[in-house]
Amino acid sequence: MAQNFAHGNYSHTQRKARSTGGRTPRDRARRTLSQNFLADRHAVDLMVKAAAPEGLVLEPGAGEGVLTFALAEAGARVVAYEIDPRLAVRLAARTRSDPRIDVVRGDFTAARAPREPFAVVGNIPYSITSKIVDWCLRAPSLTSATLLTQREYARKRTGDYGRWSLVTVESWPWFSWRLGDTIGREGFRPVPSVDSAILRIERRPHPLVNGHRSYQELVELGFGGVGGSVRASLKARYQGVDAALAAAGVARDAVVGHVHPDQWITLWERLCR
């Protein structure tokens, strides 16, 4: 049975249409909600394999339920969120007699995180990827998130371009980030303009630092860009920066994006403990 929950009005649009042309209302709704449904069974299997679902799983953007049913078949208890009322009603009707699946009609990012351990698995709209990732990182009981995102986003967050982003470095002591399989654009309907990839975020069993605030202050200062290098930024507040950089194997002229998250752990150990 579908539940109403925080049905917001934000747009999932990747790129708004400049004219309606000959599109039907359904076509326009798909574009507005950034709906690209998985049509490749192999891609679904790759998602399930990467997620290894068990226990409670929350699925943002369940759509027509292709991944929903696969997760349930793999042994998960699925709470499927869908903001499109038409799709939510259809999926709820198909799962009414299935005790493994609950359908929630509404905005996943407005939901309260469960208190019990849970995972997030979903083929998510490109336009709200960051919002969903932020929601996952803030959820105290989240064990992992397996997200099908724009490939460029997944590569940026996992250092695949040789650079590291603030969100990855800042969360690194508590979460690992891994780039999974690429899912070609032809595996979706309608076909998007770019390829996707599986992004796996997993909570570490034990944090790599014991000072949450001091670590984040260090990283945020480093990413602040004062002086153009990590060294220049950190020397504005900390003593012993040169020795810390040497211990971490960071060049004196290194720009912030080239510093590996593990090196930030060493910098924190040398400068903040």
Side-chain angles (χ1 to χ4, degrees), residues 89-120:
V89 169
R90 286 178 55 186
L91 185 57
R94 294 175 62 197
T95 61
R96 185 173 293 115
S97 61
D98 193 332
R100 305 169 301 177
I101 301 172
D102 289 319
V103 178
V104 177
R105 188 178 72 188
D107 176 359
F108 168 80
T109 63
R112 288 186 178 180
R115 293 185 177 180
E116 66 180 284
F118 71 98
V120 171

Side-chain angles (χ1 to χ4, degrees), residues 2-270:
Q3 308 169 46
N4 284 305
F5 187 87
H7 193 171
N9 290 322
Y10 64 85
S11 172
H12 295 261
T13 308
Q14 296 175 46
R15 185 171 53 196
K16 291 184 178 180
R18 295 184 178 180
S19 64
T20 59
R23 299 189 186 99
T24 67
R26 186 68 222 142
D27 292 334
R28 292 193 292 273
R30 284 182 175 179
R31 176 174 287 273
T32 300
L33 295 175
S34 188
Q35 293 172 327
N36 298 101
F37 304 118
L38 269 177
D40 182 355
R41 181 65 208 191
H42 180 59
V44 174
D45 292 341
L46 289 175
M47 280 289 290
V48 173
K49 181 180 178 180
E54 59 181 9
L56 178 61
V57 172
L58 273 55
E59 182 194 5
E64 297 175 332
V66 173
L67 183 57
T68 312
F69 286 105
L71 292 169
E73 288 295 328
R77 177 164 53 94
V78 185
V79 179
Y81 287 81
E82 177 50 56
I83 200 170
D84 185 325
R86 186 185 69 91
L87 290 175
V89 169
R90 286 178 55 186
L91 185 57
R94 294 175 62 197
T95 61
R96 185 173 293 115
S97 61
D98 193 332
R100 305 169 301 177
I101 301 172
D102 289 319
V103 178
V104 177
R105 188 178 72 188
D107 176 359
F108 168 80
T109 63
R112 288 186 178 180
R115 293 185 177 180
E116 66 180 284
F118 71 98
V120 171
V121 184
N123 168 33
I124 62 177
Y126 291 156
S127 61
I128 58 166
T129 297
S130 294
K131 192 172 182 179
I132 290 176
V133 168
D134 289 344
W135 186 99
C136 292
L137 295 177
R138 290 196 306 268
S141 297
L142 178 94
T143 58
S144 66
T146 307
L147 307 173
L148 192 51
T149 74
Q150 186 174 353
R151 186 168 182 265
E152 181 182 5
Y153 179 92
R155 293 187 66 190
K156 285 181 177 179
R157 293 295 176 264
T158 56
D160 197 51
Y161 288 115
R163 297 178 64 90
W164 296 90
S165 68
L166 173 60
V167 66
T168 306
V169 173
E170 202 167 32
S171 63
W172 191 259
W174 300 274
F175 294 93
S176 63
W177 297 67
R178 187 172 75 249
L179 177 64
D181 291 289
T182 295
I183 308 298
R185 66 197 74 183
E186 67 279 359
F188 299 84
R189 295 293 180 273
V191 178
S193 59
V194 295
D195 295 331
S196 296
I198 298 173
L199 173 64
R200 173 78 173 175
I201 306 170
E202 190 168 354
R203 186 180 295 277
R204 300 185 189 278
H206 304 288
L208 302 179
V209 305
N210 57 15
H212 191 281
R213 178 175 295 180
S214 61
Y215 177 80
Q216 290 196 322
E217 287 176 350
L218 174 74
V219 171
E220 288 172 1
L221 179 62
F223 273 83
V226 177
S229 69
V230 174
R231 178 176 181 268
S233 296
L234 297 185
K235 283 178 77 69
R237 182 180 302 177
Y238 299 96
Q239 295 181 348
V241 170
D242 288 343
L245 291 172
V250 178
R252 290 164 63 93
D253 61 348
V255 295
V256 67
H258 291 159
V259 180
H260 191 283
D262 286 337
Q263 293 175 308
W264 281 102
I265 304 299
T266 301
L267 292 174
W268 176 84
E269 292 172 345
R270 294 297 182 117

